[in-house]
């Protein structure tokens, strides 16, 4: 989510709440010669407020799972997640008097630090990477469907190289053993029907250059990965085929370009979301430990 | 580069309907990690519960003295929203109340133990109360931020009713040989053993009843009336023993009349020898007599009115480094060092300069 003017209200709330909390903490610190403690009324207040913010931030996950619930827009929840999550951090530090405490509290505080820092990291990435995505991946697709689309692009390439329409090629590819839209092996079927020698360079290029490039996870190390080399190879291909097939060669190049975009999209997506592999599990761990910590702290 | 034109339907056809029903591997890993870590945390808490170890919940390590039972929160805490109550502390610590509470401006009636002795702050001693904590109530001392700003020592009123000359006792010309500080000031736990006549003075100052009876010593610590009674009884015994007090024949045991005069005369002489001012021996070379009574010497356990000084940590120093008594000729001349003498060592980067180093809050 981009931090823009739509965040003004939340930002104001954050600043006001942080100012009040800081003032309250400093006032309490001045009165407590050994420093404030989480067990005093003020310390407990910070703890309760911080826990509320943490739980609200955590509810974003539930809100995303249940979009049909009429509990406010997802974007509002996301803004709340950002700003209340950020507010929780100083509140909990005030609650703990900037100390780590015992084993449980230390683990909890360690988790909180990591969750907070990964959240900041994720927010920074969200400000930058989507712009790259728009510029570098104009034909962005659903991330989960990248492999599926990659298979379809290969099928289109096969059909183009053989001089058949894409739809027919897909149907034939599926007959030849494609599973869930991914071409497993259609080369035999294609070659069996191929009788036009003028298309031979296209088919050879397809088999030797494009198939490795379209193989899942195998694109790296192939010649087509490099943009400049890719352009040079297609120039060579055009020189080998009849001028009437130059349009087909350009279409194949375009398909390779889309494959490159899919690779870029995957890489950017990993940057955009890999931090969640740390942020989300540690958030869950933090919530479990917070419940235990709060329960035991209130008991004693 | 040529472009392969596709209709929006063709592009839409690329996406599998219902793709969202399948969890993506990254989401799956995320979910697995979330679940795994949460279960791991619960297992950790569970095993601590099974072992009866509540240390994990503690807000930091307890003091070293309490480490033995730090796994049991209930040893100090009882009930919800309850801190450690004094009753738990006093079960082991029979400690006197905080001293001089009346002198503190806004002190509570009696602060709870935990108000000053903060637990769960690490393996430190709980007696290490911070200066800032003391100044919460002792507001009048907030300006004493270090030894340089600390006022000089306040000494106990010291009308000791005792004459004592340090210079004479340290003189090498003494018949019995010169004394040193340790001859009288014997270190013991918490300070010095109280000076007692029998142990420290009697060797030279034990008074004989009279020169004719050198083996009979006058008991120390008697007031004149009791002393006269003892002297009379003693002379009576002596006179009986040496035959001065003979019995007259046929009178049923009535003594001769001149014995009483002898007894009174000898007793008066002894009393005069002991209590006559200006003599070089007798009670009054040390003691003061007011209205016919000897005033017992009054020496406080500590000369410092509001602080305690422990000689043990200072044992590496010679006594004269702080107490220059070689020229002291009266008991009133205490020769206590001033606070300037302490500042050389007690400073932020040296020996402790915290309030509790010298000021003991329990007495």
């Amino acid at each position: 989510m981009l931090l823009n003017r739509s965040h003004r209200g939340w930002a104001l709330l954050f600043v006001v709440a942080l100012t009040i909390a800081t003032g309250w903490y400093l006032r309490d610190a001045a009165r407590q010669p050994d420093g404030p403690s989480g067990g005093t009324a003020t310390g407990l207040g910070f703890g309760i407020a911080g826990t509320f913010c943490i739980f609200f931030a955590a509810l974003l996950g539930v809100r995303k799972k249940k979009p049909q619930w009429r509990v406010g827009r997802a974007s509002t929840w996301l803004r709340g997640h950002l700003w209340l999550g950020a507010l929780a951090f100083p509140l909990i530090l005030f609650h703990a008097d900037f100390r780590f405490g015992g084993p449980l509290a230390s683990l909890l505080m360690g988790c909180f630090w990591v969750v907070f820092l990964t959240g900041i990291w994720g927010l920074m990435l969200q400000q930058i990477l989507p712009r790259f995505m728009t510029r570098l991946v104009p034909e962005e697709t659903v991330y989960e469907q990248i492999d599926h689309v990659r298979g379809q692009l290969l099928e289109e390439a096969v059909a183009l190289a053989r001089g058949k329409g894409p739809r027919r090629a897909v149907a034939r590819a599926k007959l030849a053993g494609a599973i869930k839209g991914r071409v497993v092996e259609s080369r035999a079927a294609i070659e069996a029907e191929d009788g036009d020698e003028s298309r031979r360079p296209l088919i050879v290029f397809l088999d030797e250059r494009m198939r490795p490039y379209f193989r899942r996870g195998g694109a790296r190390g192939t010649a087509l990965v490099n943009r400049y080399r890719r352009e040079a190879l297609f120039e060579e291909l055009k020189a080998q085929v009849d001028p009437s097939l130059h349009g087909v060669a350009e279409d194949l190049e375009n398909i390779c370009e889309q494959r490159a975009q899919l690779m870029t999209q995957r890489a950017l997506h990993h940057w955009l979301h890999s931090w969640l592999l740390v942020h989300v599990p540690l958030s869950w761990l933090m919530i479990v430990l917070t419940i235990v910590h709060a329960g035991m702290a209130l008991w004693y | 580069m040529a472009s392969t034109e596709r209709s929006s339907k063709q592009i839409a056809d690329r996406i599998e309907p219902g793709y969202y029903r399948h969890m993506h591997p990254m989401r799956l890993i995320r979910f697995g990690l979330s679940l795994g870590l949460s279960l791991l945390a619960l297992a950790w808490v569970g095993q601590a519960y099974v072992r009866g170890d509540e240390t994990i919940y503690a807000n930091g390590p307890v003091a070293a003295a309490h480490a033995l039972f730090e796994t049991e929160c209930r040893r100090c805490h009882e009930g919800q929203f309850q801190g450690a109550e004094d009753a738990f502390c006093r079960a082991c610590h029979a400690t006197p109340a905080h001293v001089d509470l009346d002198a503190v401006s806004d002190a509570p009636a009696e602060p709870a133990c935990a108000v000053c002795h903060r637990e769960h702050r690490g393996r430190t001693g709980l007696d290490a109360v911070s200066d800032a904590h003391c100044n919460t109530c002792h507001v009048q001392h907030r300006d004493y931020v270090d030894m340089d700003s600390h006022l000089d020592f306040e000494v106990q009123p010291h009308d000791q009713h005792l004459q004592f000359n340090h210079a004479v006792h340290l003189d090498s010309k003494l018949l019995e040989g010169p004394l040193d500080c340790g001859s009288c000031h014997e270190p013991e736990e918490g300070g010095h053993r109280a000076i007692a006549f029998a142990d420290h003075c009697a060797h030279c100052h034990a008074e004989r009843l009279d020169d004719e009876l050198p083996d009979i010593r006058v008991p120390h610590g008697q007031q004149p009336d009791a002393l006269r009674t003892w002297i009379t009884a003693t002379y009576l015994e002596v006179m009986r023993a040496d035959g001065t007090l003979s019995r007259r024949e046929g009178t049923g045991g009535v003594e001769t009349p001149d014995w009483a005069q002898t007894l009174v005369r000898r007793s008066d002489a002894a009393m005069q020898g002991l209590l006559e001012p200006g003599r070089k021996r007798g009670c009054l070379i040390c003691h003061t007599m007011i209205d016919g009574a000897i005033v017992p010497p009054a020496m406080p356990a500590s000369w410092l009115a509001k602080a305690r000084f422990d000689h043990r940590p200072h044992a590496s120093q010679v006594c004269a480094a702080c107490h220059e008594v070689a020229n002291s000729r009266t008991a009133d001349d205490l020769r206590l060092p001033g606070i300037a003498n302490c500042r050389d060592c007690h400073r932020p980067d040296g020996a402790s300069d915290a309030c509790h180093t010298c000021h003991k809050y329990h007495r």
Side-chain angles (χ1 to χ4, degrees), chain A residues 31-37 44 99 101-105 107 139 141-145 148-149 152-153 156 167 180 250-251 253-255 257-258 269-270 273-274 276-277 280-282 284-285 288-289 292 296 298-300, chain B residues 1-4 6 9-11 13-16 19 22-24 26-27 29-30 33-34 37-38 41-42 44-45 54-61 73-74 77-82 115-116 118 120-121 130 132-133 136:
Chain A
R31 290 182 174 184
Q32 304 279 344
D34 294 320
S37 153
L44 274 175
R99 292 186 302 123
L104 178 69
L107 183 60
E139 294 203 35
T141 187
V142 177
Y143 173 75
E144 286 84 353
Q145 290 287 288
H148 179 68
V149 173
Q152 287 185 332
L153 287 173
E156 281 184 29
R167 282 176 178 278
K180 291 184 178 178
E250 286 169 359
D251 284 346
E253 187 179 1
N254 182 272
I255 286 172
E257 169 61 23
Q258 288 184 49
H269 186 92
H270 281 174
H273 294 94
S274 58
L276 286 170
L277 286 175
V280 174
L282 285 187
W284 276 102
L285 176 62
V288 170
L289 293 177
V292 175
M296 294 310 292
L298 292 180
W299 186 261
Y300 290 115
Chain B
M1 184 191 300
S3 62
T4 305
R6 297 178 185 82
K9 188 170 189 314
Q10 281 176 313
I11 293 172
D13 278 347
R14 284 179 169 181
I15 310 301
E16 287 179 298
Y19 74 90
H22 310 292
M23 193 177 271
H24 190 269
M26 272 185 82
R27 286 179 186 273
I29 293 169
R30 220 160 65 192
L33 280 173
S34 303
L37 285 177
S38 301
L42 289 175
W44 179 52
V45 172
E54 297 177 312
T55 317
I56 63 167
Y57 309 118
N59 183 27
C73 302
R74 287 177 182 80
H77 299 276
E78 187 180 59
Q80 293 156 289
F81 295 103
Q82 298 290 326
V115 168
C116 300
R118 305 297 295 271
H120 299 292
R121 299 287 171 124
S130 70
H133 200 102
T136 309

Side-chain angles (χ1 to χ4, degrees), chain B residues 185-360:
Chain B
H185 301 285
E186 297 178 70
E188 67 171 13
E189 188 173 345
H192 285 95
R193 191 176 158 205
I195 291 174
F197 178 84
D199 298 329
H200 302 109
C201 313
H203 183 71
C204 300
H205 292 282
E207 287 294 337
R208 288 169 294 186
L209 187 58
D210 62 39
D211 293 339
E212 295 172 8
L213 299 167
D215 295 334
I216 298 177
R217 303 284 174 167
V218 177
H220 185 261
Q222 305 289 322
Q223 287 296 339
D225 290 346
L227 194 59
R228 185 172 191 95
T229 303
W230 177 86
I231 288 172
T232 305
T234 303
Y235 275 129
L236 204 55
E237 287 298 317
V238 169
M239 288 164 70
R240 275 193 184 129
D242 65 11
T244 307
L245 186 62
S246 59
R247 298 177 187 278
R248 198 166 51 179
E249 295 291 330
T251 59
V254 178
E255 289 84 356
T256 53
D258 57 340
W259 66 269
Q261 293 169 4
T262 305
L263 181 61
V264 169
R265 180 177 46 79
R266 293 184 73 176
S267 297
D268 286 346
M271 285 294 286
Q272 190 177 11
L274 290 171
L275 298 174
E276 190 176 68
R279 290 170 60 93
K280 287 191 174 182
R281 51 175 294 192
C283 304
L284 300 188
I285 64 167
C286 298
H287 295 288
T288 307
M289 196 155 76
I290 299 176
D291 296 335
I294 292 175
V295 183
M299 281 190 285
S302 169
W303 288 109
L304 300 176
K306 294 182 177 175
R308 288 289 176 272
F309 183 82
D310 188 348
H311 278 88
R312 286 171 299 173
H314 304 85
S316 61
Q317 301 289 311
V318 294
C319 305
C322 300
H323 306 283
E324 295 200 32
V325 293
N327 299 317
S328 170
R329 298 190 181 280
T330 69
D332 289 341
D333 182 16
L334 295 178
R335 298 295 173 102
L336 289 178
I339 195 168
N341 200 54
C342 310
R343 287 176 183 141
D344 290 342
C345 300
H346 292 272
R347 55 177 191 261
D349 59 342
S352 170
D353 62 350
C355 300
H356 65 81
T357 305
C358 302
H359 300 285
K360 305 302 176 192

